[in-house]
Amino acid sequence: MIVKKLNELSSEDLKVLLSREIGIQDVLQRVNDIVMDVAENGDEALRKYTEQFDGVRLESFRVSEDEIEEAYDAVDESILSALELAAQNIYAFHDEERTKDLWLYQVAPGVVAGQKVVPLESVGAYVPGGRAAYPSSALMCVIPAKVAGVERVVVCTPPDVSGRIAPLTLAAADIAGADEIYKLGGAQAIAAMALGTESIERVEKIVGPGNVYVTAAKMLVRGSVEIDFPAGPSEVLIVADSSADPEFIAADMIAQAEHDPSSIAVVVTTSEPLMRAVETEISSQIEKAERRDIVQASLERCGILLAESLDDALAFSNAFAPEHLELMVRDPMDALNMVRNAGSVFLGHYTPVAAGDYATGTNHVLPTAGYAKIFSGLNIDAFTKKISIQSMTGEGLESLADAIIKMAESEGLRAHAESVRIRMRR
C-alpha cells in the first residue's frame, strides 16, 4: 500500500494509482475468436464455450418458469423482502430521471421545434457470476430499462456446474421484470445478444458489468450493437478531513477491496493523524475479513495519501475520476461543488458505497478506470433515443428562408436552396 504525502508521489506511484488498465489488449484476440465462432456457429458454439468455461453442457439455455419458481422457493423470505425493497427504491429513483416523452417550443412565429423520447425496443443485460452471485446487478440493469419502456429485456448470467443459475440472481432478475433469462456467461453471452443465434434473438443494446473478457467482447461487438461503457475492476476514492472516522474509512476500503484482487481503494486526507489511524485500522480490520486473501492482494495497489488542502485532495479526485467517490468531510455539499469526475458520489460519514450498491436506488453500474471523465453511470437515458421534431407554417418558413438559402448555397447544395424557394413562390 502506498502511504505518502500527495506532493511526494513518484511517477511510478502515480502510474499505479491513475493508470488503471482494464487489460483488454491481453485477451482481445481470444475474445475475437469466440465472437467470430458464435457468429458462424450459433448455439453450438455457445454449448462448446459453456462446457469449456462453466463446466456444463446445456442443450437449452433459456430459463423456464419452473426454474424461476424453484429459485423463489430456495431463497429466504427475508432476502426476498430486501430485494423487493431495493427494487422499489431503484424504480423510484429512475422514474424521477424520466424526462418529458414529448416537448415542443416556439422558436419564432410559425416555427416550432421539439423532441420525442422513444425507448429502445430490446436490451441485453449481463449479470456477472463467478466469485459471487450478483442479484443487485440484475436489479440495476433491468429496472431502469423497464422504467424507460423497453419492451424486451434479456438477461444473460453464467450457470454453475449443475447447469443452474444462482437462485438469488434468478429471483432478482424476475423481480426486476426481465422478459427472457438465459444460462449463459462470458464473451459468448455478449456475442449471442449482439449477433443473435438460433435460440437467442439479438438485442439493440447491451449493458451491465463483467470481467475483462466480457468488457472486451462488448467493445468488439459495438459495431453491431450499442453498449453502455467499458468497465474494469471496482474502485473507491475517499476524500476525508479530520472530522472523519478512521474505522469507517478502513471498513469502506476493505469492502471495496473484497470485490477482486484488482480492485482499488484510495483515501486522500488533509489530516496526518487520520492518515496514520486509517493505516492502523486497516491492519486491524483485515484480520477479520472473510475474503482476506483477496483483500490483501487488492490493498497492495491501494493508497493512503496526505494532501495539504481539501482543494488539493479534490483536484486529485478529479484526476483520478473514481467509480465511487466518498466525501467524508465537514461540509460535503460544499466539496461536491468542486467534483467534476465521478461515477457516483456518497456524501457524509454515514453514506458508505454499500448503500448505493444495494438500496438507495441509485445505479451501481458505473464507469471505472478513469472513464468517469467522459461517461455517466447507467441511467434512464441509456435505454432511450431522442428524436428531434420541427414544424413550420408558411410564415415561419419565410422568416428563415433567406438564411437557409444562403447557407445551402454556400455549401454548394443548390437543390437544398431550391426546396425552400419553390415553397416561397407559392
Side-chain angles (χ1 to χ4, degrees):
M1 181 180 287
I2 300 168
V3 182
K4 283 186 176 181
K5 290 183 178 179
L6 192 58
N7 59 12
E8 293 179 357
L9 289 174
S10 67
S11 58
E12 186 60 33
D13 294 333
L14 288 170
K15 183 178 178 182
V16 171
L17 295 172
L18 297 179
S19 303
R20 290 103 70 201
E21 296 293 335
I22 295 176
I24 289 176
Q25 293 301 324
D26 297 336
V27 303
L28 204 56
Q29 185 56 57
R30 176 61 176 139
V31 171
N32 186 64
D33 291 343
I34 292 171
V35 171
M36 296 304 294
D37 195 0
V38 172
E40 185 175 346
N41 297 303
D43 283 356
E44 191 51 43
L46 299 183
R47 292 188 184 97
K48 177 177 71 176
Y49 293 119
T50 300
E51 185 172 16
Q52 180 178 339
F53 298 128
D54 300 306
V56 60
R57 184 168 180 85
L58 299 174
E59 292 307 313
S60 174
F61 298 101
R62 185 161 181 174
V63 172
S64 67
E65 290 297 324
D66 287 345
E67 288 175 298
I68 293 173
E69 289 180 16
E70 289 170 7
Y72 277 103
D73 292 339
V75 179
D76 187 271
E77 284 292 336
S78 64
I79 300 176
L80 287 175
S81 296
L83 288 174
E84 287 165 357
L85 173 62
Q88 289 171 11
N89 290 345
I90 295 164
Y91 187 99
F93 176 83
H94 290 87
D95 193 47
E96 285 295 318
E97 289 185 324
R98 289 175 64 95
T99 56
K100 296 176 184 177
D101 291 338
L102 175 67
W103 57 264
L104 301 166
Y105 83 105
Q106 184 171 277
V107 179
V111 182
V112 174
Q115 193 175 75
K116 178 178 172 63
V117 180
V118 180
L120 301 178
E121 292 182 10
S122 59
V123 168
Y126 187 83
V127 178
R131 297 179 190 277
Y134 294 99
S136 57
S137 291
L139 301 179
M140 297 290 178
C141 292
V142 176
I143 290 173
K146 282 301 180 183
V147 172
V150 178
E151 290 185 8
R152 175 175 172 255
V153 180
V154 174
V155 169
C156 281
T157 190
D160 61 21
V161 291
S162 69
R164 294 182 176 275
I165 293 172
L168 261 177
T169 300
L170 191 48
D174 188 65
I175 287 170
D179 299 291
E180 302 166 25
I181 307 171
Y182 293 94
K183 296 176 274 190
L184 191 62
Q188 62 271 25
I190 302 301
M193 290 191 284
L195 307 173
T197 70
E198 297 91 329
S199 61
I200 302 175
E201 186 180 345
R202 70 181 299 275
V203 299
E204 295 176 333
K205 184 168 186 173
I206 298 173
V207 303
N211 63 19
V212 65
Y213 293 91
V214 169
T215 300
K218 286 167 69 176
M219 299 294 280
L220 283 170
V221 300
R222 197 168 187 183
S224 302
V225 68
E226 183 58 281
I227 66 168
D228 44 9
F229 42 75
S234 193
E235 58 194 34
V236 66
L237 188 142
I238 303 169
V239 173
D241 60 19
S242 60
S243 69
D245 188 319
E247 190 175 4
F248 292 0
I249 293 173
D252 290 356
M253 292 180 74
I254 289 172
Q256 203 64 37
E258 76 172 343
H259 274 292
D260 187 274
S262 298
S263 295
I264 190 164
V266 178
V267 58
V268 187
T269 179
T270 55
S271 167
E272 187 165 358
L274 182 70
M275 180 177 76
R276 301 303 174 193
V278 169
E279 187 177 15
T280 301
E281 189 63 38
I282 287 175
S283 297
S284 173
Q285 289 190 28
I286 201 172
E287 295 302 316
K288 306 167 191 173
E290 188 172 324
R291 296 156 70 91
R292 185 166 56 187
D293 290 346
I294 293 173
V295 171
Q296 286 177 325
S298 172
L299 289 177
E300 288 179 7
R301 306 172 62 250
C302 299
I304 305 173
L305 309 176
L306 180 64
E308 291 186 358
S309 68
L310 186 57
D311 285 357
D312 287 346
L314 290 167
F316 179 83
S317 174
N318 283 327
F320 189 91
E323 175 190 19
H324 306 102
L325 171 61
E326 293 188 2
L327 297 178
M328 291 194 188
V329 295
R330 288 183 181 83
D331 190 347
M333 287 301 295
D334 186 58
L336 181 62
N337 289 329
M338 294 184 61
V339 174
R340 294 189 59 84
N341 303 320
S344 190
V345 183
F346 301 77
L347 304 179
H349 307 300
Y350 290 91
T351 317
V353 166
D357 280 347
Y358 298 113
T360 62
T362 60
N363 207 292
H364 78 200
V365 181
L366 303 166
T368 65
Y371 281 108
K373 290 179 180 178
I374 54 174
F375 287 105
S376 304
L378 197 62
N379 62 73
I380 203 78
D381 289 343
F383 303 101
T384 62
K385 57 186 178 182
K386 296 176 179 178
I387 303 169
S388 60
I389 302 164
Q390 45 268 303
S391 173
M392 303 173 75
T393 63
E395 177 191 9
L397 180 58
E398 186 175 14
S399 71
L400 297 180
D402 188 53
I404 297 168
I405 290 168
K406 280 185 168 59
M407 292 178 71
E409 290 183 338
S410 74
E411 293 184 354
L413 300 175
R414 298 190 179 279
H416 280 61
E418 184 59 22
S419 73
V420 174
R421 283 197 183 98
I422 199 168
R423 286 172 168 79
M424 289 299 94
R425 287 197 287 268
R426 294 290 179 91

